[in-house]
Amino acid sequence: MKKIPMTTAILAIAVFVLLLIPLLYLSPVNRASGDDYNCAMYTRAAWLDTHSLAEVGRASYKTITKLYSNHQGNWFSLFLFSIQPEAFHDGAYCIVAPMMLFFWIGSTFYLFWQIFRKKLAFDKWHYLLITVCFLIISVEFIPNVKASVFWYTGCVHYILPFSMCQMLIAWLFQYAETYRKRYFLGITVFMTLLGGSNYQAALLVMIVTCYMLLYVLFMQKKRRILWLLLPLLLELTGLVISMRAPGNRFRAYLEGTTLDFSFSRIVQTIGKAFGYALKDIGNYLENKPLIFVGLFALFLIFIAAFCHQENSYRFRIPVLGAVLLFCLHSAMQTPEIYSGVPVSGGVPNTNYQVFLLSASGILLMIAEKTAFRLKALWSENCIKNVYRMIWIPGLLLCLVPLFHFKGTLKKTASYNALRYIVSGEAADYKMQMDLQTKLMETPDKEDIIVPFINDVQGPLMHMPVTDDPKEFTNWATAVFYGKNSVIAIDRPTWEALYGETAE
């Protein structure tokens, strides 16, 4: 019976690796466009002119100050925007997908190691099985795969900060137990940087830090934890700098709203957040019901893992813990509600990821209570019975809704990536972007004409050049490549006029 979690974990790892292959296969197909060009135009020019990192740093500062004044205030994200890979090499954008998956997957393994191996003392096979199952649910059903894997600007503004949050949460657990300086240093640096990142990530770590402060102060009576007020203060300082940016107000003005501080508006926002959180859960249930099948399977694994524990771990106030986790999930809705402006695909991604963490935490506490009762009921035969009577039948039962809701599988990230590859659209897109890059880098030519590229590119993010040279994407693309202008015309006409000279 003890070989069951090992075999299942190895099988789950194999499945997860196979699911990642289509996403990684698209790495060399993926290319920058639009916002990527706009944010890296100064750094690219500096790199091409000097190949000096010092000059690139100055160009990055110029980008930050410009966008801080007229676009947004997230200064740490703006720095990351300015060093997008194609600023240094036309083929460097291929690192985006593997890099983001590495941060996302690696931070999850690290956080879960801290929770399930260090804190709860689960065996390594249950830890691996839990982590991989969670990642499959997280990666495959992420609402917007463009902003989670392929689009650099979206990824470093949402996925990278979320990964930093997961690292931070793990460090908070470790600091509360050991008070080692290296954890405090990591917490301080990351929280300071997150003050200049997206507001959801900043809010997430602030809430979790406050939870940790209150728990240690009132439950463990250790005042040393108050040192966490320093990184909390640094993050709040960075957040104030970000929120007071002229670019935020200008952007809100363009959207027909304001970002002025209002206590009544804050109260209304908090009240609405709970309703928005429940609405999100309803949307997941309606559109991607297999998420909840995966969570049920995770719940069964939790029960088996607790039954394997030699020393039972007891959650002290599980009801309060469940309430706090739901509040955490609801809090992720507040930046969008308060701002009242359209948001990018990274926002629902963060909502979803925090929902999964919160739901898993609640299921973990229920599983602990369930396993405690099973141990009392079955005594020495608990491990054998939990697999024979609960775990294996429960996982087999999951196959029923898996078959019934098989249409949901077509909404997964890997399926859409695979369909994009098999259809030939990925190869066609690569060919078109290679041609566009070649044309944009034509020497001694300042006004460029390119053929239209289809702006529907499966899981990839593409902001196409249009037939209007004044459009944002046209302007950003032209400046990025050091040209006066660029326009697009229909492909048959372009091939008739320029096809032979392009070879």
Side-chain angles (χ1 to χ4, degrees):
M1 285 293 178
K2 291 187 177 181
K3 291 184 178 180
I4 290 177
M6 179 184 72
T7 305
T8 312
I10 293 172
L11 179 62
I13 293 169
V15 170
F16 184 49
V17 171
L18 288 174
L19 290 173
L20 290 178
I21 291 175
L23 300 176
L24 293 172
Y25 184 88
L26 288 176
S27 297
V29 181
N30 196 23
R31 292 297 300 272
S33 66
D35 286 337
D36 294 316
Y37 291 153
N38 177 48
C39 297
M41 57 179 62
Y42 296 142
T43 47
R44 184 177 194 271
W47 179 252
L48 290 178
D49 290 343
T50 67
H51 281 76
S52 165
L53 291 179
E55 291 301 318
V56 169
R58 293 187 183 93
S60 178
Y61 178 76
K62 182 179 178 181
T63 301
I64 294 169
T65 54
K66 174 188 173 184
L67 295 177
Y68 184 84
S69 299
N70 62 23
H71 185 61
Q72 66 187 70
N74 312 98
W75 46 270
F76 177 57
S77 292
L78 294 179
F79 164 72
L80 296 173
F81 294 168
S82 71
I83 56 170
Q84 70 97 344
E86 281 196 20
F88 304 95
H89 190 279
D90 286 333
Y93 211 79
C94 66
I95 70 171
V96 174
M99 181 170 61
M100 295 308 156
L101 287 170
F102 172 78
F103 289 139
W104 187 358
I105 294 169
S107 64
T108 304
F109 267 97
Y110 184 73
L111 173 61
F112 281 24
W113 172 271
Q114 173 59 34
I115 294 173
F116 297 112
R117 287 289 282 161
K118 302 283 284 185
K119 190 73 175 176
L120 299 179
F122 287 176
D123 66 84
K124 68 177 180 180
W125 295 114
H126 279 105
Y127 152 70
L128 288 171
L129 183 56
I130 289 167
T131 307
V132 171
C133 287
F134 180 90
L135 280 168
I136 289 174
I137 304 168
S138 181
V139 174
E140 291 302 320
F141 295 107
I142 196 79
N144 190 308
V145 71
K146 299 176 191 286
S148 63
V149 178
F150 296 108
W151 180 32
Y152 176 82
T153 304
C155 289
V156 297
H157 192 46
Y158 289 100
I159 281 295
L160 180 58
F162 178 76
S163 300
M164 292 170 67
C165 288
Q166 294 201 122
M167 295 287 290
L168 258 168
I169 294 170
W171 289 338
L172 285 169
F173 278 113
Q174 291 171 339
Y175 181 71
E177 291 181 358
T178 66
Y179 295 99
R180 291 179 180 172
K181 293 180 180 179
R182 66 173 181 264
Y183 298 133
F184 182 77
L185 178 62
I187 291 168
T188 302
V189 172
F190 271 30
M191 287 188 73
T192 302
L193 294 176
L194 286 172
S197 181
N198 78 76
Y199 299 133
Q200 287 177 296
L203 186 60
L204 174 60
V205 293
M206 281 197 299
I207 293 173
V208 174
T209 303
C210 289
Y211 284 174
M212 184 65 72
L213 277 166
L214 293 173
Y215 175 78
V216 175
L217 277 176
F218 291 101
M219 303 299 289
Q220 298 182 354
K221 311 296 183 182
K222 295 180 180 179
R223 293 185 176 273
R224 194 173 178 181
I225 198 69
L226 289 173
W227 277 104
L228 289 179
L229 291 175
L230 176 59
L232 193 61
L233 178 61
L234 290 172
E235 181 180 334
L236 283 170
T237 302
L239 195 57
V240 169
I241 294 171
S242 175
M243 295 175 69
R244 290 180 62 84
N248 289 342
R249 295 183 180 278
F250 179 69
R251 197 171 179 181
Y253 171 77
L254 293 178
E255 298 292 345
T257 186
T258 63
L259 295 178
D260 294 331
F261 177 82
S262 168
F263 182 77
S264 61
R265 188 173 176 181
I266 291 175
V267 173
Q268 291 175 359
T269 296
I270 294 173
K272 291 180 180 178
F274 294 100
Y276 275 58
L278 291 172
K279 184 179 179 181
D280 267 1
I281 295 172
N283 288 334
Y284 302 148
L285 187 59
E286 180 181 358
N287 298 314
K288 297 180 179 180
L290 290 184
I291 292 171
F292 295 89
V293 178
L295 287 173
F296 176 71
L298 205 57
F299 173 66
L300 296 176
I301 301 169
F302 288 156
I303 294 176
F306 274 117
C307 287
H308 265 266
Q309 274 186 324
E310 293 184 4
N311 299 317
S312 296
Y313 182 91
R314 304 303 307 276
F315 290 104
R316 301 178 70 174
I317 316 176
V319 176
L320 177 60
V323 171
L324 293 177
L325 286 172
F326 179 70
C327 289
L328 183 66
H329 169 226
S330 301
M332 294 302 99
Q333 311 284 336
T334 56
E336 177 185 357
I337 298 170
Y338 189 86
S339 67
V341 299
V343 295
S344 72
V347 172
N349 283 353
T350 304
N351 291 341
Y352 175 67
Q353 289 168 307
V354 176
F355 159 73
L356 284 185
L357 287 175
S358 301
S360 298
I362 293 170
L363 291 175
L364 185 68
M365 289 183 283
I366 298 173
E368 182 269 319
K369 295 299 178 186
T370 304
F372 180 77
R373 293 184 179 276
L374 291 177
K375 282 183 176 182
L377 179 65
W378 288 332
S379 61
E380 295 181 359
N381 293 321
C382 181
I383 295 175
K384 180 179 180 180
N385 289 339
V386 78
Y387 286 122
R388 185 180 63 187
M389 300 177 65
I390 296 178
W391 203 70
I392 294 176
L395 291 181
L396 291 174
L397 183 64
C398 291
L399 296 177
V400 176
L402 182 63
F403 177 78
H404 182 71
F405 297 114
K406 58 182 180 293
T408 306
L409 295 175
K410 294 183 179 180
K411 300 178 181 180
T412 58
S414 295
Y415 178 88
N416 282 287
L418 185 62
R419 186 212 60 78
Y420 184 56
I421 295 166
V422 173
S423 67
E425 292 175 345
D428 183 59
Y429 177 67
K430 185 178 187 304
M431 179 187 68
Q432 293 179 71
M433 285 302 295
D434 287 345
L435 174 60
Q436 178 172 298
T437 302
K438 178 182 177 181
L439 295 172
M440 294 304 303
E441 294 184 335
T442 303
D444 304 322
K445 193 171 183 180
E446 300 301 320
D447 298 292
I448 309 297
I449 300 175
V450 301
F452 274 115
I453 292 179
N454 181 10
D455 64 341
V456 180
Q457 291 301 336
L460 303 184
M461 180 67 177
H462 181 70
M463 302 173 70
V465 173
T466 73
D467 56 1
D468 183 356
K470 296 181 180 179
E471 281 289 330
F472 167 76
T473 50
N474 294 54
W475 171 82
T477 305
V479 176
F480 182 81
Y481 285 101
K483 303 299 181 181
N484 287 335
S485 69
V486 58
I487 63 168
I489 61 176
D490 66 90
R491 186 164 292 274
T493 302
W494 185 91
E495 290 178 347
L497 292 173
Y498 308 104
E500 294 183 1
T501 61
E503 297 296 331

